[in-house]
Amino acid sequence: MPDTPSAPLLLGNQPGSFPHSVLAERHPAIIKQVREAFPYEPGQHRALDELLANCTGGEIEPLPADAHDRDHWETWGLGEYTGRSWFDVPWLWSESWFYRRLLQAVGYFGPGPWQGVDPFRPFKLAELDSTETDEELAALDDLVGRPAAEQAQALLHGSLWGNRADLGFRLSAEGARAADAAPGLVADDSDRLWSLLDKAGGTLYLVADNAGRELVPDLLLIAHLLRSGRIGQAVLHVKPYPYYVSDATTADVVDALRRLTGAGGAAAAYGRHLWSALGDGRLTLRAHPFSSAPLPYAEMPGDLRADFAAATLTIVKGDLNYRRLVGDRLWDPTTPFADVATCFPGPVAALRTLKSDVITGLDAHTEAALVAAEEQRWRTSGTHALIQVRDAP
């Protein structure tokens, strides 16, 4: 990004900051929740205790010599950061490292009887099986018979708002009115997004964020675009292993499809269509190692870059993917989105609810209204969202 003024990398070493609260408070809470969700054995309890002490007051330690992904992490900066405080290295790196170490502590990578057991699965299934999900899936029946464009816009907003998907199944999200003092939708390039998909038969890539009630509307959007012929193929990028508590893996996609097909009504029809699309190749899953890397997309490897370059449009979902797309930096909110998303090799759209300090692409009036209404809480509250598009590299 040679023409874009730099901004400071986000670190976790400033008490009172959002990154510091994640490292000092959220991560210990996650360890406690995971510990209580499974009947882990004494060795796993000891490893979790050691991780708690290390991530809150210790230094970054190397991986075991026989770790299956040691070479990846050495490439991703482990050698540089070993011996430093978790709070003094880039926040994105520390967060990712925490989840890698948590999986190691519970035996996810094996060998042993706990190999491959997702420590976050109980939380994902509870959300997927909730009455709120029932209500959201039943709301799909109200879309049947509406014009395809209206259905597409409603499902786009469902994907955008994730666990506020009930807003998305209506044609306009609550808080998105231009007259609001602090609008819910702070940037809306949806017209540009649809224009990129105007050539019927193109290929949509979608980089998933969360499982459960946030993955379901992503799948529904893909299903609608395939059924309507607006796209001919979809590629869904998921994580290769459990990550950030709720990030979607292949197993989570299967769980979501089973939830859809068992729901009845329009939801079941969408689920059957997706099941069939996976079987005939119109929908493909990817789980690239870099999807769980502690790095921005600017540092993606060549094979992944070539993959994304083949897409008619790539939609990156969620807060973490946004941070990876624009760089995990404290940008001035009015920095143009297109200027900081230049690393991506093809047309890209970001769908994101705001849950961290990173933000770009706002106009000055919108930023001023948000600050006047909420000071800086609007950056992390999850009550605001954006749709931003960069047409070409």
Side-chain angles (χ1 to χ4, degrees), residues 62-76 78 100:
L63 286 171
D66 60 350
H68 74 285
D69 55 352
R70 181 170 177 165
D71 288 346
H72 280 313
W73 280 94
E74 290 292 338
T75 300
W76 296 339
L78 180 57
R100 171 58 182 83

Side-chain angles (χ1 to χ4, degrees), residues 207-209 214 316-323 350-353:
V207 182
D209 185 34
E214 297 196 32
V316 296
K317 278 295 309 295
D319 197 78
L320 173 61
N321 285 321
Y322 188 88
R323 291 164 57 192
L351 270 63
R352 174 218 184 186
T353 54

Side-chain angles (χ1 to χ4, degrees), residues 93-142:
W93 201 97
S94 286
E95 281 194 288
S96 298
W97 181 240
F98 171 78
Y99 291 102
R100 171 58 182 83
R101 287 291 312 278
L102 180 62
L103 293 181
Q104 180 180 325
V106 299
Y108 179 86
F109 295 115
W114 292 90
Q115 184 174 8
V117 176
D118 183 348
F120 311 125
R121 184 170 172 79
F123 318 127
K124 295 174 178 178
L125 290 180
E127 184 179 277
L128 195 60
D129 294 336
S130 67
T131 56
E132 291 85 357
T133 302
D134 289 334
E135 294 167 359
E136 290 160 7
L137 294 181
L140 285 169
D141 294 334
D142 296 334

Side-chain angles (χ1 to χ4, degrees), residues 77-378:
L78 180 57
E80 178 183 355
Y81 297 139
T82 294
R84 295 174 62 179
S85 165
W86 291 57
F87 293 82
D88 291 336
V89 304
W91 179 43
L92 177 63
W93 201 97
S94 286
E95 281 194 288
S96 298
W97 181 240
F98 171 78
Y99 291 102
R100 171 58 182 83
R101 287 291 312 278
L102 180 62
L103 293 181
Q104 180 180 325
V106 299
Y108 179 86
F109 295 115
W114 292 90
Q115 184 174 8
V117 176
D118 183 348
F120 311 125
R121 184 170 172 79
F123 318 127
K124 295 174 178 178
L125 290 180
E127 184 179 277
L128 195 60
D129 294 336
S130 67
T131 56
E132 291 85 357
T133 302
D134 289 334
E135 294 167 359
E136 290 160 7
L137 294 181
L140 285 169
D141 294 334
D142 296 334
L143 288 178
V144 175
R146 294 193 185 188
E150 291 186 8
Q151 293 185 41
Q153 189 71 359
L155 293 172
L156 177 68
H157 277 269
S159 180
L160 169 66
W161 287 104
N163 61 10
R164 293 175 62 190
D166 56 312
L167 305 179
F169 291 129
R170 304 184 316 203
L171 295 183
S172 60
E174 182 180 350
R177 298 179 298 275
D180 285 347
L185 194 58
V186 299
D188 184 6
D189 292 342
S190 55
D191 288 344
R192 293 169 65 193
L193 184 153
W194 294 125
S195 70
L196 288 168
L197 295 176
D198 276 346
K199 296 180 180 179
T203 300
L204 173 70
Y205 279 47
L206 192 149
V207 182
D209 185 34
N210 292 329
R213 289 174 62 204
E214 297 196 32
L215 179 60
V216 166
D218 295 343
L219 292 171
L220 294 173
L221 177 62
I222 289 172
H224 173 78
L225 294 174
L226 286 170
R227 289 172 67 182
S228 66
R230 200 154 193 171
I231 60 173
Q233 186 177 13
V235 177
L236 180 64
H237 277 263
V238 296
K239 298 298 189 297
Y241 53 75
Y243 189 65
Y244 275 72
V245 179
S246 56
D247 279 21
T249 64
T250 298
D252 298 320
V253 174
V254 175
D255 285 339
L257 289 179
R258 287 182 174 144
R259 182 72 168 90
L260 286 171
T261 56
Y270 279 116
R272 289 191 297 270
H273 189 86
L274 289 165
W275 198 284
S276 174
L278 275 168
D280 63 28
R282 286 175 296 134
L283 173 59
T284 304
L285 301 182
R286 300 268 203 279
H288 195 284
F290 190 79
S291 294
S292 295
L295 302 172
Y297 285 122
E299 299 183 45
M300 76 177 83
D303 63 329
L304 186 59
R305 182 172 294 277
D307 190 24
F308 284 133
T312 304
L313 172 67
T314 297
I315 294 176
V316 296
K317 278 295 309 295
D319 197 78
L320 173 61
N321 285 321
Y322 188 88
R323 291 164 57 192
R324 298 185 76 193
L325 178 63
V326 304
D328 203 30
R329 296 176 176 273
L330 194 60
W331 298 106
D332 184 308
T334 62
T335 303
F337 170 73
D339 289 356
V340 292
T342 53
C343 66
F344 211 80
V348 63
L351 270 63
R352 174 218 184 186
T353 54
L354 276 58
K355 298 176 184 176
S356 72
D357 292 310
V358 180
I359 182 69
T360 68
L362 300 190
D363 63 58
H365 174 77
T366 298
E367 182 197 3
L370 290 165
V371 172
E374 304 174 36
E375 297 181 342
Q376 295 300 324
R377 293 186 300 276
W378 61 273

